[in-house]
C-alpha cells in the first residue's frame, strides 16, 4: 500500500512536470521565432520617444567586489540615471560607489535599525526618491521608466535600443529581460545555471507570453511608473523573499501584464559553490511559499482568466509538488533496494538490463532536449561555446539537479514553518573577474 501511494504521488508530479515542459517546448518550437515581432522590444516603432527618462535601481548590501564594475557598465547607457541603495553594508561598498564619479549615479543609504528589512523595502525606498525627483524636475510619470538591476549584473549592448523600442509605445507597461549567466564558467554547476535561465526558463517565459503569465525575474525588470503607482501604490514591492513574483501577482490582479524580451538580456553571476547554490534556491522556494497569501485573491479574481489562474497555481504549487515528489523518490528507492530480490530477482538478465537502460534513457530525455536547445541558443546569439566535455555531461546534470535542490526545499520549508523570514544573502564577486 505504501509503495502504491508514493507511486501515485510520484506519477502525478511527473505528469504535471512533463505536461508543462512539453507545452513550453511546443511554444518554443512552433510560435517563436515565427512570432518574433510580438515580443517586447522587437517592434520597429514609428518614432522613438526621446522624452523617456530611465531610473535604474541597484540594491546593494556588501557588494564591494562587484558594485563598481556594475555601475560603470550601466553608465555606458547615456539615458540611464542610476539609483544605488546601500542597505547598511559592513564592507567597502559605499567607498567603491563613491569612486564612480558621475552625476548620474545617485547614492542612497539606509542605516540600522531601519536597514536589513528586505529587498522590497530597499526598492520602495529608492522609488520614493525617484518620485520626488520626478516631481521636482516636472517629469511626467508616464515618461519615467523604472528598472531593477542586481549589483552583480550587466546589460547586453542592445538593451537600451530594445527598451526604447518597447516603451516608445504609450500602451506598454512592464517587461522582463531574458537572463543569462556571465559566460566564464569554472565548473559544471555554473553551466547548469546558465542553461536553466538562458534556455529552459526562456522556453517557459515564451509560453507565458502567450498566456499572459510572464513572471518578473527580479533582475532585468523595467516598468512605466504611472500605471504601477496608480494601480498598485507608491510602494508596489512587498516583503516576500520572492519579491519579483509577488509584484507579478499584484500586477496581474490589476490587469497589468508583463511582456518578455527575448533578444536582449541581463547577465548575472553564476554560483560556483553547491552550498551557496542550495542557500540561494532555498530563499527562492521560501519566497514562493510567502506568495501563498495571495491565493484567495487569485481564486476569487474575476479579472484573471482560467489560463492565468492555472499559471499562478502551477507556480505556487511547485514547492509542494517538488517536496512530495522527492519524498516519493526516496521512499520508492528504499523499497526497491530493500526488496531487490523480490522485485527483480526473477527477471532474466537481459530483461533487467533493458529495463534499467530504458529508465536511464527516459530520465535523460529532457536533459538531452534542453541541452540541444541550449547549444543552439549559444550559437544563435554568438555566445562563447561550452567545452565538449561539459556539453556531454549536461543531460545528466539537468536531469538530476533535483537531487541538489531537494536540500534547498527542506531548508525552505523549515524556515517557512518557523517564520524565519530573514534574507539569505547571495555573495557576489567570487566567481567572475
Amino acid at each position: 500500500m505504501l509503495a502504491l501511494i508514493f507511486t501515485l504521488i510520484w506519477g502525478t508530479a511527473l505528469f504535471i512536470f512533463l505536461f508543462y515542459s512539453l507545452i513550453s517546448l511546443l511554444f518554443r518550437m512552433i510560435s517563436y521565432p515565427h512570432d518574433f515581432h510580438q515580443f517586447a522590444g522587437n517592434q520597429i516603432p514609428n518614432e522613438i520617444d526621446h522624452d523617456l527618462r530611465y531610473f535604474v535601481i541597484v540594491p546593494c548590501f556588501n557588494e564591494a567586489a562587484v558594485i563598481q564594475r556594475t555601475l560603470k557598465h550601466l553608465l555606458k547607457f547615456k539615458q540611464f540615471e542610476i539609483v544605488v541603495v546601500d542597505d547598511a553594508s559592513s564592507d567597502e561598498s559605499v567607498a567603491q560607489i563613491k569612486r564612480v564619479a558621475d552625476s548620474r549615479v545617485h547614492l542612497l543609504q539606509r542605516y540600522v535599525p531601519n536597514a536589513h528589512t528586505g529587498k522590497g523595502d530597499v526598492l520602495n525606498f529608492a522609488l520614493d526618491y525617484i518620485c520626488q525627483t520626478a516631481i521636482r524636475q516636472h517629469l511626467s510619470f508616464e515618461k519615467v521608466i523604472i528598472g531593477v538591476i542586481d549589483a552583480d549584473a550587466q546589460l547586453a549592448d542592445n538593451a537600451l535600443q530594445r527598451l526604447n523600442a518597447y516603451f516608445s509605445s504609450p500602451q506598454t507597461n512592464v517587461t522582463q529581460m531574458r537572463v543569462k549567466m556571465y559566460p566564464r564558467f569554472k565548473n559544471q554547476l555554473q553551466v547548469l545555471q546558465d542553461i536553466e535561465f538562458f534556455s529552459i526558463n526562456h522556453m517557459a517565459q515564451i509560453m507565458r507570453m502567450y498566456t499572459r503569465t510572464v513572471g518578473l525575474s527580479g533582475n532585468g525588470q523595467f516598468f512605466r511608473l504611472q500605471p504601477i503607482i496608480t494601480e498598485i501604490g507608491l510602494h508596489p514591492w512587498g516583503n516576500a523573499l520572492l519579491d519579483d513574483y509577488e509584484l507579478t501577482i499584484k500586477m496581474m490582479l490589476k490587469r497589468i501584464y508583463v511582456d518578455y524580451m527575448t533578444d536582449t538580456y541581463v547577465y548575472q553571476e553564476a554560483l560556483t559553490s553547491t552550498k551557496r547554490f542550495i542557500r540561494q534556491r532555498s530563499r527562492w522556494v521560501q519566497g514562493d511559499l510567502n506568495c501563498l497569501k495571495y491565493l484567495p485573491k487569485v481564486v476569487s479574481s474575476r479579472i484573471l482568466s482560467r489560463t492565468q489562474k492555472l499559471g499562478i497555481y502551477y507556480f505556487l504549487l511547485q514547492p509542494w509538488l517538488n517536496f512530495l515528489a522527492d519524498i516519493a523518490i526516496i521512499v520508492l528507492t528504499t523499497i526497491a533496494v530493500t526488496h531487490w530480490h523480490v522485485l527483480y530477482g526473477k527477471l532474466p538478465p537481459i530483461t533487467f538490463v533493458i529495463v534499467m537502460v530504458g529508465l536511464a534513457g527516459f530520465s535523460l530525455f529532457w536533459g538531452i532536449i534542453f541541452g540541444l536547445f541550449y547549444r543552439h541558443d549559444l550559437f544563435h546569439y554568438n555566445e562563447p561555446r561550452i567545452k565538449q566535455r561539459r556539453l556531454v555531461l549536461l543531460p545528466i546534470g539537468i536531469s538530476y539537479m533535483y537531487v541538489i535542490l531537494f536540500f534547498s526545499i527542506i531548508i525552505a520549508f523549515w524556515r517557512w514553518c518557523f517564520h524565519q523570514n530573514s534574507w539569505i544573502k547571495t555573495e557576489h564577486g567570487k566567481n567572475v573577474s
Side-chain angles (χ1 to χ4, degrees):
M1 180 59 70
L2 186 66
L4 178 60
I5 292 172
F6 281 102
T7 299
L8 289 173
I9 291 173
W10 178 77
T12 302
L14 181 64
F15 173 79
I16 294 173
F17 165 76
L18 291 177
F19 180 78
Y20 191 85
S21 298
L22 181 60
I23 295 297
S24 299
L25 180 63
L26 289 175
F27 271 100
R28 170 67 177 83
M29 293 175 63
I30 299 172
S31 301
Y32 181 85
H34 176 70
D35 293 337
F36 178 83
H37 295 290
Q38 291 192 18
F39 291 86
N42 294 343
Q43 304 83 3
I44 301 176
N46 294 328
E47 185 179 359
I48 294 295
D49 188 346
H50 296 288
D51 293 328
L52 295 174
R53 290 288 301 274
Y54 290 89
F55 290 87
V56 179
I57 303 172
V58 182
C60 175
F61 174 59
N62 289 348
E63 303 284 8
V66 296
I67 189 63
Q68 194 174 123
R69 179 197 66 200
T70 299
L71 295 179
K72 287 180 178 178
H73 278 298
L74 288 173
L75 286 170
K76 293 180 180 179
F77 300 96
K78 300 301 182 183
Q79 288 179 254
F80 283 1
E81 296 278 332
I82 304 164
V83 180
V84 54
V85 185
D86 181 77
D87 198 35
S89 295
S90 57
D91 65 357
E92 295 296 314
S93 291
V94 172
Q96 292 292 331
I97 295 166
K98 289 181 177 179
R99 289 194 182 102
V100 182
D102 194 294
S103 60
R104 289 186 290 135
V105 176
H106 308 268
L107 171 61
L108 308 183
Q109 292 182 257
R110 283 160 50 93
Y111 300 95
V112 176
N114 297 319
H116 304 165
T117 56
K119 186 178 178 181
D121 286 345
V122 170
L123 297 173
N124 289 327
F125 184 76
L127 198 63
D128 285 340
Y129 172 82
I130 294 170
C131 289
Q132 294 167 12
T133 301
I135 293 171
R136 189 170 60 251
Q137 296 182 7
H138 305 289
L139 302 176
S140 168
F141 279 16
E142 285 288 347
K143 302 293 185 179
V144 174
I145 310 301
I146 307 298
V148 178
I149 299 295
D150 287 349
D152 64 318
Q154 176 183 337
L155 296 179
D157 292 339
N158 66 341
L160 185 56
Q161 173 194 358
R162 300 293 174 148
L163 288 168
N164 280 334
Y166 176 72
F167 285 110
S168 288
S169 171
Q171 285 75 39
T172 55
N173 290 316
V174 53
T175 185
Q176 172 61 52
M177 289 182 174
R178 190 175 181 176
V179 179
K180 192 185 187 312
M181 303 296 129
Y182 284 107
R184 297 186 287 273
F185 304 126
K186 296 180 179 179
N187 62 23
Q188 192 72 9
L189 179 61
Q190 290 184 301
V191 179
L192 290 174
Q193 292 166 76
D194 194 39
I195 187 174
E196 177 188 12
F197 280 90
F198 195 54
S199 292
I200 300 176
N201 287 357
H202 172 62
M203 288 185 191
Q205 291 282 52
I206 287 175
M207 182 267 291
R208 292 169 185 162
M209 182 68 185
Y210 289 95
T211 57
R212 306 191 81 177
T213 57
V214 174
L216 295 173
S217 299
N219 198 10
Q221 59 180 279
F222 286 81
F223 61 78
R224 195 182 300 275
L225 181 57
Q226 184 64 65
I228 303 304
I229 294 295
T230 302
E231 296 295 334
I232 300 178
L234 293 172
H235 291 165
W237 285 282
N239 283 317
L241 292 179
L242 206 61
D243 57 276
D244 45 13
Y245 198 73
E246 181 180 22
L247 181 56
T248 301
I249 294 177
K250 287 182 177 181
M251 288 179 173
M252 291 178 66
L253 289 170
K254 296 294 184 178
R255 279 202 181 93
I256 300 175
Y257 304 116
V258 184
D259 290 315
Y260 180 55
M261 288 188 160
T262 58
D263 280 54
T264 190
Y265 37 89
V266 55
Y267 292 99
Q268 66 186 41
E269 187 177 293
L271 301 176
T272 57
S273 163
T274 301
K275 180 179 178 180
R276 291 167 60 203
F277 177 75
I278 291 172
R279 284 170 55 85
Q280 179 196 65
R281 297 311 169 94
S282 72
R283 185 184 80 231
W284 295 359
V285 174
Q286 188 178 355
D288 196 334
L289 295 171
N290 293 153
C291 291
L292 281 171
K293 62 185 178 183
Y294 293 98
L295 187 58
K297 291 183 179 180
V298 172
V299 173
S300 61
S301 174
R302 296 184 177 180
I303 293 174
L304 298 172
S305 68
R306 290 180 180 176
T307 305
Q308 290 164 340
K309 288 184 178 183
L310 282 174
I312 297 174
Y313 295 157
Y314 175 77
F315 194 90
L316 297 179
L317 181 65
Q318 278 186 316
W320 304 89
L321 203 61
N322 293 338
F323 177 75
L324 290 174
D326 287 338
I327 294 297
I329 290 171
I330 292 172
V331 171
L332 293 174
T333 301
T334 302
I335 292 173
V337 171
T338 55
H339 297 76
W340 181 271
H341 292 290
V342 176
L343 295 172
Y344 309 109
K346 297 181 180 180
L347 286 177
I350 186 63
T351 304
F352 178 78
V353 170
I354 291 173
V355 169
M356 291 297 106
V357 170
L359 289 173
F362 178 76
S363 67
L364 294 175
F365 174 76
W366 285 107
I368 294 171
I369 296 296
F370 290 146
L372 291 174
F373 272 94
Y374 176 59
R375 188 173 182 273
H376 171 270
D377 288 343
L378 293 178
F379 175 79
H380 181 74
Y381 290 96
N382 297 313
E383 289 289 335
R385 308 289 182 86
I386 301 299
K387 293 180 180 178
Q388 196 67 30
R389 174 177 55 84
R390 287 178 176 169
L391 199 61
V392 170
L393 293 175
L394 268 183
I396 299 174
I398 298 167
S399 300
Y400 294 100
M401 187 185 286
Y402 67 84
V403 176
I404 299 176
L405 296 179
F406 175 70
F407 298 100
S408 65
I409 293 171
I410 296 298
I411 294 171
F413 271 96
W414 178 272
R415 286 171 52 84
W416 181 66
C417 288
F418 289 95
H419 306 288
Q420 298 176 15
N421 291 313
S422 59
W423 189 270
I424 300 178
K425 176 73 172 64
T426 299
E427 298 178 26
H428 296 136
K430 297 183 177 181
N431 305 326
V432 295
S433 57

